[in-house]
Amino acid sequence: MYEFRFGGETLKRPAPDASDAQWADYRYLKVNKAGTEHEWWFHRLGCRRWFRAERDTVENRVLKTEWPG
Ligand SMILES: [Zn+2]
């Protein structure tokens, strides 16, 4: 049982008239780039809220967290 649940990367939403391929990428693509990633996390054993985190994927270090909105 993990305290936090990974909610995926916060990708930029495609335009409404984007192609099916672009929407598929948006939904399923895993970027896995080396460097800073923006991700959603859910604090399941704590306040049970979603928050955004900026994480360095090379050092696996959280740089910053913020509440949405
Ligand atoms: Zn919390």
Side-chain angles (χ1 to χ4, degrees):
M1 186 94 158
Y2 295 100
E3 181 173 10
F4 295 96
R5 180 157 83 88
F6 180 56
E9 292 150 26
T10 58
L11 299 176
K12 197 162 170 284
R13 206 178 156 81
D17 60 350
S19 69
D20 287 348
Q22 281 174 298
W23 276 104
D25 282 353
Y26 170 67
R27 292 196 189 98
Y28 305 118
L29 191 71
K30 297 298 290 174
V31 177
N32 280 330
K33 65 179 179 191
T36 305
E37 263 188 10
H38 295 80
E39 301 165 339
W40 283 107
W41 288 87
F42 182 63
H43 194 188
R44 56 183 298 195
L45 296 187
C47 51
R48 301 193 63 81
R49 288 173 70 187
W50 285 95
F51 61 96
R52 279 195 288 259
E54 230 177 84
R55 190 170 60 89
D56 185 321
T57 60
V58 177
E59 299 176 29
N60 193 23
R61 191 162 59 91
V62 174
L63 307 170
K64 186 172 110 179
T65 60
E66 62 180 9
W67 299 112

